Amino acid sequence: MRRSATLLPVLAAILLLPACGAEHAGTRSAGSGAAASPQRTQVDDPGTDGVRITAVTIPSASPSPSRDHSVQADRLPADPGLFAEYEVTNDGTEALTYTVLFDFTTSTGEVMSNKWETVRDVGPGRTVRGTVRMGVLPPGASPVARVKVAEVTKVAADEAPPAAGVCPPSGIRVTADRGYAAMGLRVVGLHLENCGTRDYTVDGYPQLELLDESREPIEGVGILRGSGGITALPEWDEQPRPVTLKPGERAVSGLVWRNTTESGTPVEVPYVRIRAKAGADPVTVTPHLDLGTTGKLGVRPWQREQREQSGRPEQS
């Protein structure tokens, strides 16, 4: 699914690679066989929505023999070990869980790699610091010159989807996957796992509440049972029936929509609050629904999840 540029302003922390013809302090001349020292650059940026990059570290280019003993800045290895230090500050009045997308880009803005980081349970007035690493680049990738915060979402800590392997006190885990897109059609899977010790039964559809960037309810969107005529999805239009999950078993639901834009104002839904059934604890996920001007969202009934249906990466 594409990332919406309107979700949050982009925070860019720019790191300029060392210029050619200069040799860095702490390194020996080319041909000595010594590795160059990493270069750590402090970043002075006010941040966006409580998240800011504070420093970026990138290893200096490996020295390459030449007449003038220059260090070539474009000879970084495929896995240069580049990483960014960041901090998350909660200026609110409740504990929040943040999900942040970091982009590692070239000097022209082309994204070479990106990483999602989840920072959990940041209390009011607290600052939490972390590190995000770029990882391995594909062969022939252009050098990375910038690190930026591309997206930030935050939900109340007690409504955040649980971390992988963590079972909430309720005994059920509700998560959303990253979804997929094709020809204007968008689909996000909702997953329910009984991680407790008792059987758990759902019957019908998950209960949904669509929320804006301030996590306030959005009005005027038709939440339709099944595919809602948005597309042909036979499984979504089956008559709902009770699904009883034994410990360790799963059920699947989902959201489907089109981001067609015609006359009217496009609707953006960054947050969806989900209850597996009436009375269940709410879980707020961040699929970011770009509904265009259609004003329609289809919902799949809970159905037992087959093993081949699982495997899409979850949002945390």
Side-chain angles (χ1 to χ4, degrees):
M1 189 187 315
R2 67 176 180 85
R3 297 194 302 274
S4 170
T6 62
L7 179 59
L8 283 172
V10 172
L11 164 65
I14 301 177
L15 170 69
L16 297 180
L17 294 178
C20 295
E23 196 165 8
H24 306 293
T27 65
R28 300 189 217 169
S29 62
S32 65
S37 299
Q39 301 297 303
R40 183 177 183 274
T41 300
Q42 292 285 136
V43 176
D44 184 15
D45 199 295
T48 295
D49 210 20
V51 182
R52 72 185 191 97
I53 296 174
T54 58
V56 179
T57 298
I58 186 168
S60 301
S62 301
S64 56
S66 66
R67 274 188 183 175
D68 58 2
H69 305 288
S70 64
V71 175
Q72 300 297 322
D74 61 350
R75 292 178 178 263
L76 293 174
D79 182 8
L82 187 151
F83 63 91
E85 300 165 45
Y86 65 88
E87 63 182 29
V88 177
T89 300
N90 181 0
D91 292 328
T93 59
E94 62 177 338
L96 298 172
T97 288
Y98 292 73
T99 302
V100 187
L101 178 64
F102 294 91
D103 279 350
F104 297 84
T105 77
T106 65
S107 59
T108 59
E110 182 181 3
V111 177
M112 292 291 101
S113 179
N114 53 38
K115 290 291 180 67
W116 291 94
E117 292 285 313
T118 299
V119 184
R120 296 182 179 277
D121 301 323
V122 183
R126 287 190 58 212
T127 295
V128 175
R129 296 174 177 84
T131 300
V132 58
R133 293 187 173 274
M134 182 177 68
V136 177
L137 289 177
S142 301
V144 167
R146 303 179 181 180
V147 184
K148 68 182 181 182
V149 175
E151 289 186 14
V152 180
T153 56
K154 53 188 179 182
V155 302
D158 59 358
E159 291 189 9
V166 174
C167 187
S170 64
I172 61 168
R173 297 180 73 245
V174 176
T175 56
D177 60 36
R178 295 289 176 197
Y180 60 94
M183 301 295 290
L185 184 69
R186 306 288 189 263
V187 179
V188 167
L190 304 180
H191 303 272
L192 169 64
E193 177 188 1
N194 181 356
C195 57
T197 58
R198 302 177 180 177
D199 290 358
Y200 189 83
T201 300
V202 289
D203 185 4
Y205 302 82
Q207 297 190 348
L208 306 180
E209 188 176 6
L210 308 184
L211 307 175
D212 62 18
E213 290 184 1
S214 300
R215 299 192 299 284
E216 295 295 330
I218 293 175
E219 306 295 338
V221 175
I223 299 178
L224 310 175
R225 294 186 170 186
S227 62
I230 297 169
T231 189
L233 295 170
E235 289 184 347
W236 291 52
D237 295 321
E238 291 181 2
Q239 187 68 26
R241 62 191 67 181
V243 177
T244 298
L245 303 175
K246 296 185 179 299
E249 293 184 335
R250 300 181 179 220
V252 64
S253 176
L255 310 176
V256 62
W257 71 99
R258 288 191 180 277
N259 65 344
T260 306
T261 300
E262 296 176 350
S263 60
T265 302
V267 177
E268 304 279 346
V269 183
Y271 300 95
V272 180
R273 181 177 286 134
I274 303 170
R275 286 180 171 84
K277 62 181 181 180
D281 292 340
V283 176
T284 299
V285 298
T286 57
H288 194 87
L289 315 181
D290 48 344
L291 300 181
T293 56
T294 63
K296 296 193 299 183
L297 179 67
V299 185
R300 181 180 180 177
W302 287 119
Q303 295 169 333
R304 189 173 301 278
E305 184 176 81
Q306 305 300 320
R307 290 187 179 274
E308 62 269 24
Q309 290 176 309
S310 61
R312 294 189 181 276
E314 293 178 352
Q315 292 183 337
S316 57

